[in-house]
Amino acid sequence: MSSTPVRGNTLAATTDLRDHADALQGKLDERTQQLAKKTELAAENEELFRLLVASVRDYAIFMLDATGHVATWNAGAQAIKQYTADEIVGRHFSTFYSPEDVAAGKTEMELEVAEREGRFEDIGWRVRKDGTKFWANVVISAVRDHTGTLIGFSKVTRDLTEQRRAEQQRRAAEDRFRLLVESVRDYGVFVLDPRGHVATWNAGAERIKGYTANEIIGSHFSKFYPEEDVRAGKCELELEVAEREGRFEDEGWRVRKDGSKFWANVVVSAVRDDQGTLVGFSKVTRDLTDRKRAEDDRAARLAAEQANRAKDEFLAMLGHELRNPLAPIVTALELIKLRSDSETKEYQVIERQVSHMMRLVDDLLDVSRITRGKIDLKLQRLDLHDVVAKALEMVSPLLEQRRHHVSVDSTAGQGYVNADENRLTQVFTNLLTNAARYTPPGGNIIVKLRVDGQGATLDVRDDGQGIDAGLLPTVFDLFVQGNQTSERSSGGLGLGLTLVKSLVQQHGGRVTAHSSGRGQGSTFSVWLPLFAAQPAEAGTRGRAVIPRAIRALRVVVVDDNEDARLLLCELLTAVGHDVKSAGEPFAALETIAEHEPDVAILDIGLPVIDGFELAQRIRARMGDCTPRLIALTGYGQANDRERSKAAGFEVHLVKPVDATKLFELLTIPTSAGRSS
């Protein structure tokens, strides 16, 4: 009866064990399945990674065993190194190195570093299967198992040959550009840092600015600017504009090392990196001093030419305005002379003063033409004794008026020169007049002619007021005069000596002035080259006599100046001509058409239409019956004479006209137009 409970307990225990074993088996199966899935997933991932590595073509990615032999190979390795997997797996990776690197132990060193530090990186030459070299970036990494034991190395290689070639080309281009910039001598080309300090320097900058690279690099570029520009903030402005707009350009004065200034064209450009960050400024400077000087000279010449033109126009107008009132005065004097009233004291005073006024007007107009070389000299062989005698005769009224004692020493041999008689007489007349004016009444004037060697010298010496030492260097300049009293008793416009110098130089001579100072008198000396051959004897000259007209002519006088017109008509009538007149051009046309004159004397400065147009209208209206046309005007410039000729005038006379010359012209038979 007692065995039954034991058996029951045993059966129960067996059942429990079986159930527990079944549970354990279930868990084991589940765990096994999980491990199998993980193993399968790992295998799949490993295969994916292998496929990924194998497909990469831009990088050579492969494994080395612990001794450096190739264990795996990918497509990139084959593309870069040219070996297939069958050719290279199992071979030592030293195959990819040059014999020199292998002999130097480079491969062993790389594995040692990778094993010790976990990683090795290098850039250098490697060798392909065909023996060619390529520039490679190499990374070797140590590979260890979960226990830390080294099981091999991963090796990644990238072919940088093209990048290296491009980098070399870029550097070569930079070097060439640097050498080019450094060798440029006509331009200062250099770089500033962002704050304006000089960072580079070239030969052109050294030549232009005077600094060497060692002297200037690191200095602020404000050194090149005048102090007033620096104080005004010009340097900061240039950099600010260049940074904001990318470029700044300017022309202005800059300063060299020695302190001298030069005119520069400057271009400042902002320099930025790939991210657009400002890294500095390039600065190009060109020395334009010569161009600036040439431009200034050209501008000065243009201004001078414009001033000369304005002066000539003014003098022409002034001469016209002065000659117009002189014309009737001179004509009135001629009428007085015809009536035999010329011996009175009043007549002689008026004649002298009018002659003086006419010389002043002539000097005003001559100075412009002579100083510009516009005078045509009528050269002939002249005896200087005759020219001096003529000049003394012309100045004698002034000499007598001031009671001067004149001594003439002409004991030298004959001095013949090739000269314009009127102009040379003008030279000596001006010197004698100058001496007479600047010598107190009762003074002494000595005229001495010396002939020696190749030239003749005429000295005009006086014991008058003299010339200050400070005035001597400019005594021949235009409008220069010595000190005068408030009454200007010496007179003149400061033109005479300027005319003397210009005329003497045009004759190939020279003139000098000497004085020991105020109150010590003056000496003016004119030297002229001698003319070898002697001239034919000149006939004696007498006082001009106003003749009666050989043949009475019909004459029309046209002038809007009533005094000048009426007096000229009276003068022409007095010598026997039949004279009509008109005060304005349209009345003149009718008068000429009605009376059909032999000669028409026309003023140029007429109202409404000028004398040039009036002449053209007369010719158009009268045709073959056109009278001889004579221009009588206050305008005497060369272009005025040309316009007269173009308008059909036979003669161009300048007021006040020399009556004798006018009468001689009227006796000349007509050469065109109506017949006599």
Side-chain angles (χ1 to χ4, degrees):
M1 290 294 294
S2 57
S3 59
T4 302
V6 173
R7 188 183 299 118
N9 290 334
T10 300
L11 289 172
T14 300
T15 300
D16 291 339
L17 287 172
R18 188 181 296 112
D19 291 341
H20 183 65
D22 290 341
L24 288 175
Q25 184 62 48
K27 290 181 180 180
L28 179 61
D29 291 342
E30 183 180 354
R31 184 62 176 168
T32 300
Q33 290 176 358
Q34 291 175 349
L35 289 174
K37 287 181 179 180
K38 287 183 179 181
T39 301
E40 183 180 353
L41 182 59
E44 290 177 357
N45 289 338
E46 184 177 346
E47 179 62 17
L48 287 173
F49 181 74
R50 185 187 65 77
L51 291 173
L52 174 64
V53 170
S55 65
V56 171
R57 297 188 60 83
D58 292 333
Y59 292 82
I61 304 173
F62 54 97
M63 292 291 297
L64 305 177
D65 63 18
T67 60
H69 292 81
V70 178
T72 66
W73 200 244
N74 79 329
Q78 181 171 335
I80 294 172
K81 300 178 183 286
Q82 299 178 344
Y83 294 96
T84 65
D86 292 339
E87 291 173 328
I88 198 63
V89 171
R91 295 176 61 178
H92 196 270
F93 82 113
S94 58
T95 303
F96 313 134
Y97 290 72
S98 65
E100 296 81 10
D101 286 347
V102 174
K106 184 174 177 68
T107 53
E108 290 81 357
M109 181 271 294
E110 292 183 0
L111 296 186
E112 288 177 6
V113 172
E115 182 178 0
R116 182 176 67 250
E117 300 180 6
R119 187 177 186 275
F120 172 83
E121 186 171 0
D122 181 40
I123 293 180
W125 291 110
R126 298 296 185 267
V127 181
R128 297 187 182 93
K129 175 183 176 181
D130 62 5
T132 59
K133 291 184 177 181
F134 65 99
W135 189 257
N137 171 264
V138 175
V139 177
I140 302 175
S141 302
V143 179
R144 301 177 183 275
D145 63 15
H146 65 282
T147 64
T149 302
L150 180 71
I151 60 174
F153 301 91
S154 66
K155 194 165 187 291
V156 180
T157 302
R158 186 182 182 191
D159 183 357
L160 299 180
T161 306
E162 289 302 321
Q163 290 89 328
R164 184 175 188 274
R165 183 178 296 113
E167 179 68 15
Q168 286 179 324
Q169 291 174 347
R170 184 184 65 80
R171 289 181 180 176
E174 289 179 352
D175 288 343
R176 287 194 299 270
F177 180 74
R178 177 181 55 80
L179 292 172
L180 173 65
V181 169
E182 289 178 354
S183 66
V184 169
R185 296 187 58 81
D186 292 335
Y187 293 81
V189 183
F190 52 99
V191 173
L192 306 176
D193 67 18
R195 295 179 299 169
H197 295 88
V198 178
T200 67
W201 201 242
N202 80 325
E206 180 173 341
R207 185 188 68 82
I208 293 172
K209 299 177 184 289
Y211 294 94
T212 64
N214 291 335
E215 291 173 328
I216 198 62
I217 288 178
S219 299
H220 196 267
F221 81 114
S222 57
K223 273 195 171 184
F224 312 136
Y225 290 72
E227 290 184 4
E228 56 271 22
D229 286 349
V230 175
R231 288 195 300 269
K234 185 175 180 67
C235 303
E236 293 79 2
L237 171 67
E238 290 187 3
L239 297 187
E240 179 184 333
V241 173
E243 182 177 0
R244 182 178 66 249
E245 301 181 6
R247 186 177 186 273
F248 173 87
E249 183 170 2
D250 179 45
E251 282 194 13
W253 291 110
R254 298 295 186 270
V255 182
R256 298 186 181 93
K257 176 185 175 182
D258 61 8
S260 62
K261 291 184 178 181
F262 65 100
W263 187 262
N265 172 268
V266 174
V267 178
V268 182
S269 302
V271 179
R272 300 180 182 277
D273 60 19
D274 294 340
Q275 286 72 44
T277 303
L278 181 72
V279 296
F281 302 90
S282 66
K283 197 164 190 287
V284 180
T285 301
R286 186 180 182 191
D287 185 354
L288 299 180
T289 306
D290 291 341
R291 192 196 76 179
K292 172 70 171 174
R293 187 178 296 115
E295 289 176 349
D296 289 347
D297 290 345
R298 184 163 56 252
R301 284 196 302 272
L302 290 174
E305 290 171 2
Q306 184 176 1
N308 275 332
R309 284 194 297 271
K311 178 195 68 178
D312 291 345
E313 292 170 1
F314 168 75
L315 290 177
M317 179 61 69
L318 180 62
H320 175 265
E321 295 302 319
L322 291 175
R323 280 169 169 161
N324 271 337
L326 280 174
I329 298 175
V330 172
T331 305
L333 288 173
E334 297 292 349
L335 282 169
I336 294 173
K337 189 182 299 183
L338 282 174
R339 294 167 181 163
S340 302
D341 297 333
S342 60
E343 300 303 321
T344 66
K345 180 179 179 181
E346 292 82 0
Y347 174 88
Q348 293 172 359
V349 169
I350 295 172
E351 185 178 42
R352 281 198 303 271
Q353 295 304 315
V354 168
S355 297
H356 176 61
M357 186 66 179
M358 289 170 61
R359 282 197 299 273
L360 288 177
V361 174
D362 289 340
D363 282 353
L364 270 174
L365 300 176
D366 280 350
V367 72
S368 174
R369 295 196 296 269
I370 293 175
T371 53
R372 291 185 291 118
K374 298 294 185 180
I375 293 294
D376 293 326
L377 299 179
K378 299 176 181 178
L379 300 178
Q380 58 179 316
R381 289 170 294 180
L382 300 174
D383 187 342
L384 282 176
H385 295 84
D386 294 339
V387 180
V388 172
K390 183 178 179 181
L392 283 167
E393 180 183 353
M394 295 178 68
V395 184
S396 59
L398 178 61
L399 296 172
E400 293 171 2
Q401 178 189 3
R402 296 181 67 82
R403 304 185 308 281
H404 290 320
H405 305 287
V406 181
S407 172
V408 180
D409 181 359
S410 58
T411 57
Q414 285 188 322
Y416 289 97
V417 295
N418 191 30
D420 183 311
E421 182 178 12
N422 290 332
R423 292 302 181 181
L424 198 55
T425 301
Q426 183 181 6
V427 167
F428 297 151
T429 300
N430 281 2
L431 291 179
L432 289 167
T433 301
N434 208 56
R437 287 174 177 167
Y438 288 95
T439 300
N444 296 289
I445 297 174
I446 300 174
V447 180
K448 183 175 182 179
L449 179 62
R450 296 179 283 124
V451 178
D452 51 1
Q454 300 298 314
T457 302
L458 179 77
D459 297 324
V460 178
R461 181 182 301 115
D462 64 68
D463 57 0
Q465 61 185 252
I467 305 172
D468 289 332
L471 187 63
L472 271 175
T474 60
V475 73
F476 293 103
D477 291 350
L478 191 61
F479 301 124
V480 171
Q481 293 179 300
N483 293 327
Q484 299 185 22
T485 64
S486 60
E487 293 82 9
R488 292 180 58 86
S489 60
S490 299
L493 299 174
L495 303 173
L497 292 180
T498 302
L499 292 171
V500 166
K501 181 179 179 181
S502 297
L503 287 170
V504 169
Q505 288 178 339
Q506 289 190 51
H507 280 85
R510 57 182 178 270
V511 60
T512 57
H514 173 76
S515 177
S516 298
R518 296 287 294 175
Q520 301 299 311
S522 306
T523 300
F524 287 85
S525 300
V526 175
W527 179 91
L528 293 168
L530 289 177
F531 195 80
Q534 294 187 3
E537 290 294 328
T540 58
R541 297 182 180 89
R543 181 185 177 99
V545 178
I546 300 177
R548 292 284 299 177
I550 297 174
R551 183 176 66 86
L553 301 176
R554 292 190 300 276
V555 181
V556 171
V557 176
V558 182
D559 196 329
D560 60 329
N561 185 320
E562 184 176 3
D563 288 341
R565 183 179 72 254
L566 294 179
L567 285 171
L568 181 57
C569 288
E570 187 174 347
L571 180 63
L572 292 171
T573 301
V575 296
H577 295 296
D578 178 13
V579 184
K580 303 293 181 183
S581 71
E584 55 90 17
F586 297 108
L589 277 172
E590 298 304 322
T591 301
I592 290 171
E594 179 180 352
H595 293 279
E596 295 188 351
D598 301 292
V599 179
I601 302 174
L602 311 182
D603 181 31
I604 297 300
L606 295 171
V608 186
I609 62 172
D610 60 25
F612 299 127
E613 185 173 345
L614 176 59
Q616 292 172 344
R617 294 193 182 193
I618 292 172
R619 293 173 65 191
R621 182 167 180 175
M622 301 296 292
D624 292 339
C625 294
T626 298
R628 294 173 60 195
L629 300 178
I630 295 177
L632 183 59
T633 176
Y635 294 107
Q637 302 285 65
N639 63 313
D640 299 318
R641 298 178 187 276
E642 290 296 326
R643 290 188 66 189
S644 292
K645 184 177 180 181
F649 285 101
E650 187 176 311
V651 181
H652 184 103
L653 298 178
V654 178
K655 295 178 181 180
V657 68
D658 184 328
T660 302
K661 183 175 181 180
L662 176 60
F663 295 150
E664 289 175 352
L665 285 171
L666 294 179
T667 64
I668 299 174
T670 182
S671 58
R674 62 182 290 118
S675 64
S676 60

